[in-house]
Amino acid sequence: MIKLRPLPRNLALLVVVTTMTAGAGPATAADDEPPLTALQRAARSDDRFMPRLEVLSDDVGARLAGSPALARAVEWAEEMLREDGHVNVRREPVAVPVWVRGEERLEVLAPRYRSLAVLALGGTVGTSGVEAPVVVVSSFEELSPAVAGKIVLFNVPMSAALPAIEQYGAAARYRADGAARAAGHGALAALVRSVAARSLATPHTGGVVYLPGVARIPAAAITVEDAAWIARLAARGIEVRVRLELGAHALSDAISHNVIAEIEGAERPDEIVVVGGHLDSWDVGQGAHDDGAGIVQAIEAMRLIRQLGLRPRRTIRAVLFANEEYGLSGGKAYAAAHAGERHVAALETDLGGGRPRQWGATGTPEQLAFLARVAAPVGVAVGAGGGADISPLGAHGVLLIGLYPEDGPYFEVHHTHADTFDKIDPVEAREGLAAVVGLVWQLANEPTGAP
Amino acid sequence: MIKLRPLPRNLALLVVVTTMTAGAGPATAADDEPPLTALQRAARSDDRFMPRLEVLSDDVGARLAGSPALARAVEWAEEMLREDGHVNVRREPVAVPVWVRGEERLEVLAPRYRSLAVLALGGTVGTSGVEAPVVVVSSFEELSPAVAGKIVLFNVPMSAALPAIEQYGAAARYRADGAARAAGHGALAALVRSVAARSLATPHTGGVVYLPGVARIPAAAITVEDAAWIARLAARGIEVRVRLELGAHALSDAISHNVIAEIEGAERPDEIVVVGGHLDSWDVGQGAHDDGAGIVQAIEAMRLIRQLGLRPRRTIRAVLFANEEYGLSGGKAYAAAHAGERHVAALETDLGGGRPRQWGATGTPEQLAFLARVAAPVGVAVGAGGGADISPLGAHGVLLIGLYPEDGPYFEVHHTHADTFDKIDPVEAREGLAAVVGLVWQLANEPTGAP
């Protein structure tokens, strides 16, 4: 851990004096700067955002649920939140499945030998070696009994000319469900073209979902380049034969932790605004965009509110979820433990540290109207959407809000070795922080009552 | 090999009739379309450019000097040039050094275990394992006896905000000379940050140059991301300890071949205009931009001139050089064998298949004035520059011309696993072909005599 220089006190003092005692009233700045303005200004010059993300990225690094690295991330997060002086700083246990990548190898045996970059999909079974010709398909509809005894390659391209987020869901289906669908037709293994529009020979992992009663076959991602190559050869009638070895295996379930901290509400402490992201990442890269940026935005949003001495009407609760990537058990555990509480809204950042573009929200018409009203001064438009970690709260009627930043860089690097600290643009990521802290403040301090 | 559909004959006939018999006169099109215009129009709609580059990329792939793959590339190139009906199609032997990558592994042992992506630099000695702390430097001036017994990381960033070509030379010095310079101070091995501005966890190889009397230490490239990570840790005083294993080794010299073909000049057959690129590549990726695009531009420039029935005043000679990447012996061998001939100019494409930006030329003032005059109608500006393969001809007074296209994508992928066919934009690459065929035609058909 590095020791970090505290924010200059004079900045904090400027806006604090009256608000610390104002208690139930709306927080205002000593020099008449409204709290929202002061918070967003502080966010844009936050000198801890990057050092904290650097430590999470560089010292902790990749942190899959159940791993020792995630345990270090939990410790780090608790330490930051305590250092910042929050209340009710705690960890809450989350049972997580544990999966280990192991050694992996994908070799092309024909038409000529090549060793390809490969990343097993999270949760896949291992194989000591499966060898077969490849059948290339670009949709589930192309699967047939002809793939029996073969290895299926799902080659579903994304276009760099279209926004990634509009294509991601459709392409990621093949990553999640390809193995089960191919196994249903007798395939021996599934390969998936990495879910990305732009690649520099960069495989992307992600989770695979098996189905009850369907054979669990090995599943792995290859690069966009290699998938395109195999597809071109297949289109010319050239058989591609490969051998896949995956050391992937499951271990016993383990306990990871959601990390929680609060700024207690002055007027309505039982009304809770959640701000969070997921502390885990896939087991490659540093999880800098996915979701280190979101985690540090949540931590820094909390710190700036406290640093400026602002006391919100409602309670603001940071929730750093233990496990999003490998089965969402962090979000599920939080909802199971806390759904009975009065959540006014849950806000999540999990699309990277890019420049904010819009909020994506899910809720009742009244909740969405409330959001539109409180979000208006924050300077980011509202659209439809949400977030994975907070989604289990949706079933309990909680207003769900996700930050949707410019996500081109995020989708290029997420789930890869390239999701590293150097990919974070500090100006853009702090602009995201300004949006997050602004909206959290508005949600927590709105005076007339939330739906 | 795939069988390719011939260019529609009617297109060729449109412009041919008089010119095939015109012999010594300037070529003109039957329908009054000037040859330059007809050639450039045909280049922009060339339907063989991409299929030919596809075969070179997908079927031959990476083709280091001395490798069986380069021998396949030589065969393929000869076949194409014969199929297109050229004269004097031949291969000329080139002695090439032979180097084999072997297995390679770079492990970080502290502050925490990680296995890093690594590419040995071409020509490096191997090592069964060298383990030491890393010293990070960003210039040769920072080397000192303090690096003795250590592994030096040359961490010299390139900026994505500046043109790659303006920074490449300065950064690539550390790749070429870093090992010798570090060894001079007693270092055990040299690591180099990949020479690239943008990376998605993509190591770039390149050649290392040892010096007589200086210890030959192992040298390898790591990704931009990992170099930046190690440098950040070092800046915080955290020692990084690594272990490097390289299976790299040299084999005996071998014979590769320059591939040559001609369109004989009608008026001045002894005056030669060379058009070429290098047939070899590094041993990763497909050499699609570096230099498959240049090779196929040379092949297609020749084919289009013949296909349109145009007969230039001077001889046009395609030279596909055997070995640029690993010591330039292709260009040296060509110059040694042919420098006595009358070369009017040598034109090379070796900066990828991007949209043409300018010609870079080296020559006497008279030669450059000649070039400026003949290049004017081609539509690409003239600046300073040249090309590696043709550079040995420069010592013999030959006018050297390199195509300088928009090279951002080229520098992102060259010398990597990501230099693949999917990176070629057909419109841009054929625009490059239009420039090449246009200038070759102008050079070969200029009526008043070249300096």
Side-chain angles (χ1 to χ4, degrees):
Chain A
M1 304 294 154
I2 57 172
K3 287 298 166 191
L4 295 155
R5 194 157 50 84
L7 198 71
R9 281 284 162 185
N10 58 346
L11 176 63
L13 288 174
L14 266 180
V15 289
V16 170
V17 183
T18 60
T19 59
M20 282 306 280
T21 54
T28 54
D31 61 351
D32 292 336
E33 185 176 33
L36 174 62
T37 311
L39 284 168
Q40 293 198 302
R41 190 165 54 78
R44 291 182 179 109
S45 61
D46 183 341
D47 63 357
R48 292 202 190 178
F49 182 89
M50 290 298 281
R52 286 183 160 185
L53 184 54
E54 181 176 349
V55 168
L56 180 61
S57 302
D58 284 355
D59 296 7
V60 175
R63 45 194 181 277
L64 189 58
S67 69
L70 184 59
R72 289 198 301 276
V74 166
E75 277 175 29
W76 168 84
E78 266 199 286
E79 188 182 314
M80 294 302 101
L81 294 165
R82 286 190 200 284
E83 185 177 305
D84 293 344
H86 301 304
V87 298
N88 301 328
V89 178
R90 62 196 187 273
R91 51 176 76 184
E92 294 186 349
V94 178
V96 296
V98 183
W99 174 86
V100 178
R101 175 172 302 281
E103 295 285 316
E104 50 199 8
R105 178 187 294 263
L106 177 61
E107 297 167 297
V108 176
L109 307 176
R112 66 178 201 275
Y113 183 86
R114 285 185 63 209
S115 174
L116 304 188
V118 63
L119 280 179
L121 296 184
T124 183
V125 297
T127 169
S128 61
V130 52
E131 179 183 327
V134 177
V135 177
V136 181
V137 302
S138 56
S139 72
F140 290 135
E141 289 63 38
E142 293 173 38
L143 292 173
S144 76
V147 307
K150 309 282 174 53
I151 294 175
V152 174
L153 167 60
F154 292 96
N155 181 53
V156 180
M158 284 171 62
S159 164
L162 298 172
I165 194 154
E166 291 175 11
Q167 310 169 71
Y168 183 72
R173 283 172 64 210
Y174 297 92
R175 186 180 70 205
D177 303 329
R181 298 291 289 264
H185 291 277
L188 302 180
L191 298 174
V192 59
R193 176 183 173 122
S194 286
V195 181
R198 290 193 69 257
S199 174
L200 294 171
T202 316
H204 292 236
T205 189
V208 65
V209 178
Y210 292 124
L211 294 181
V214 179
R216 297 156 69 93
I217 62 174
I222 63 175
T223 67
V224 164
E225 287 87 345
D226 288 331
W229 175 62
I230 293 171
R232 288 192 302 270
L233 292 178
R236 286 164 54 207
I238 299 170
E239 182 175 285
V240 178
R241 190 170 180 85
V242 303
R243 183 172 190 281
L244 177 66
E245 256 182 73
L246 298 179
H249 56 283
L251 301 176
S252 307
D253 286 4
I255 299 297
S256 289
H257 296 88
N258 290 336
V259 179
I260 297 179
E262 291 171 0
I263 296 172
E264 203 167 39
E267 259 181 46
R268 301 171 184 184
D270 296 337
E271 295 187 10
I272 297 160
V273 174
V274 163
V275 57
H278 63 85
L279 204 48
D280 66 308
S281 74
W282 280 108
D283 62 328
V284 293
Q286 299 187 327
H289 270 293
D290 188 11
D291 183 24
I295 287 295
V296 181
Q297 284 173 348
I299 290 175
E300 287 301 288
M302 295 283 284
R303 187 181 67 79
L304 292 175
I305 291 168
R306 190 170 293 276
Q307 186 85 37
L308 298 201
L310 298 170
R311 187 81 185 274
R313 289 192 166 85
R314 303 182 178 85
T315 292
I316 301 173
R317 179 183 288 170
V319 183
L320 313 182
F321 295 94
N323 172 27
E324 187 264 349
E325 299 292 6
Y326 191 41
L328 205 61
S329 53
K332 290 174 184 168
Y334 177 82
H338 297 277
E341 298 168 44
R342 165 86 171 103
H343 287 89
V344 169
L347 167 58
E348 169 167 22
T349 302
D350 185 20
L351 285 167
R355 190 175 295 281
R357 190 171 55 82
Q358 69 168 35
W359 305 109
T362 301
T364 64
E366 293 72 25
Q367 286 173 323
L368 296 176
F370 166 75
L371 173 62
R373 180 159 54 81
V374 303
V378 178
V380 176
V382 180
D389 292 294
I390 55 178
S391 61
L393 288 170
H396 301 278
V398 178
L399 169 61
L400 308 180
I401 310 166
L403 175 62
Y404 285 61
E406 301 292 342
D407 52 33
Y410 171 84
F411 280 110
E412 278 181 16
V413 302
H414 86 142
H415 302 191
T416 78
H417 292 289
D419 186 2
T420 48
F421 180 70
D422 56 289
K423 301 302 189 310
I424 303 290
D425 180 311
V427 172
E428 293 182 1
R430 289 188 302 224
E431 196 61 36
L433 170 60
V436 168
V437 70
L439 186 59
V440 166
W441 175 258
Q442 293 289 100
L443 290 164
N445 208 50
E446 187 276 342
T448 63
Chain B
M1 303 297 153
I2 56 171
K3 287 297 168 192
L4 295 155
R5 197 157 48 83
L7 199 71
R9 281 284 162 187
N10 57 346
L11 175 63
L13 288 174
L14 265 180
V15 289
V16 170
V17 182
T18 61
T19 59
M20 282 306 281
T21 54
T28 53
D31 61 351
D32 293 333
E33 184 176 35
L36 174 63
T37 311
L39 284 168
Q40 293 199 301
R41 191 165 53 77
R44 291 183 179 109
S45 62
D46 183 340
D47 62 358
R48 292 202 190 178
F49 182 90
M50 290 298 280
R52 285 182 161 185
L53 183 54
E54 180 176 348
V55 169
L56 179 60
S57 303
D58 284 354
D59 296 7
V60 176
R63 44 195 183 274
L64 189 57
S67 68
L70 184 59
R72 288 198 301 276
V74 165
E75 277 175 30
W76 168 84
E78 266 198 286
E79 188 181 317
M80 294 302 101
L81 293 165
R82 286 189 200 285
E83 184 177 305
D84 294 344
H86 302 304
V87 297
N88 300 328
V89 178
R90 61 195 189 273
R91 50 177 76 184
E92 295 186 348
V94 178
V96 296
V98 183
W99 175 85
V100 178
R101 174 172 303 281
E103 294 286 315
E104 50 200 6
R105 177 187 295 262
L106 176 61
E107 296 167 296
V108 176
L109 307 175
R112 68 178 198 276
Y113 183 86
R114 284 185 63 208
S115 174
L116 305 188
V118 63
L119 280 180
L121 295 184
T124 183
V125 297
T127 169
S128 60
V130 52
E131 180 183 325
V134 177
V135 177
V136 181
V137 301
S138 57
S139 72
F140 290 136
E141 289 64 39
E142 293 171 38
L143 291 172
S144 77
V147 308
K150 309 283 174 53
I151 294 176
V152 174
L153 167 60
F154 292 95
N155 181 51
V156 180
M158 286 171 62
S159 164
L162 298 172
I165 195 152
E166 291 176 12
Q167 311 168 73
Y168 183 73
R173 283 172 64 212
Y174 296 92
R175 186 180 69 205
D177 302 330
R181 297 292 289 265
H185 293 275
L188 302 180
L191 298 175
V192 59
R193 175 183 173 122
S194 286
V195 182
R198 290 192 69 257
S199 174
L200 293 172
T202 316
H204 292 234
T205 190
V208 66
V209 179
Y210 292 123
L211 295 181
V214 179
R216 297 157 68 93
I217 62 174
I222 63 175
T223 67
V224 164
E225 287 87 346
D226 287 331
W229 174 62
I230 292 171
R232 287 194 303 269
L233 292 177
R236 285 164 54 205
I238 298 171
E239 183 175 283
V240 177
R241 191 173 181 82
V242 303
R243 183 171 192 282
L244 177 66
E245 256 182 73
L246 298 179
H249 57 283
L251 300 176
S252 307
D253 286 5
I255 299 296
S256 288
H257 296 87
N258 290 335
V259 179
I260 297 179
E262 291 171 358
I263 297 171
E264 202 167 40
E267 260 181 42
R268 302 170 182 183
D270 297 337
E271 295 188 11
I272 296 159
V273 173
V274 163
V275 57
H278 63 84
L279 204 48
D280 66 308
S281 74
W282 281 109
D283 62 329
V284 292
Q286 298 187 329
H289 270 292
D290 187 11
D291 183 28
I295 287 295
V296 181
Q297 284 173 349
I299 290 175
E300 286 301 289
M302 296 283 284
R303 187 182 67 81
L304 291 175
I305 291 168
R306 190 169 293 276
Q307 186 86 37
L308 299 200
L310 299 170
R311 187 81 186 273
R313 289 189 167 85
R314 302 182 179 87
T315 292
I316 301 173
R317 178 184 287 171
V319 184
L320 313 182
F321 295 93
N323 172 28
E324 188 264 349
E325 299 293 6
Y326 191 42
L328 204 62
S329 54
K332 290 174 184 168
Y334 177 83
H338 297 277
E341 299 167 43
R342 166 84 172 103
H343 286 92
V344 169
L347 166 59
E348 171 168 20
T349 300
D350 185 20
L351 286 166
R355 191 175 295 280
R357 189 171 56 82
Q358 70 169 33
W359 305 109
T362 300
T364 64
E366 294 72 24
Q367 286 174 323
L368 296 177
F370 166 74
L371 173 62
R373 181 160 52 81
V374 303
V378 178
V380 177
V382 180
D389 292 295
I390 57 178
S391 61
L393 289 170
H396 301 278
V398 177
L399 169 60
L400 308 180
I401 310 166
L403 175 61
Y404 285 62
E406 301 293 342
D407 53 32
Y410 171 83
F411 280 110
E412 277 181 15
V413 303
H414 85 143
H415 303 190
T416 78
H417 292 289
D419 186 1
T420 47
F421 180 69
D422 55 290
K423 301 301 189 310
I424 304 290
D425 180 313
V427 172
E428 294 183 1
R430 289 188 303 221
E431 196 61 35
L433 171 60
V436 168
V437 71
L439 186 60
V440 166
W441 176 257
Q442 292 290 99
L443 290 165
N445 208 51
E446 187 277 342
T448 64

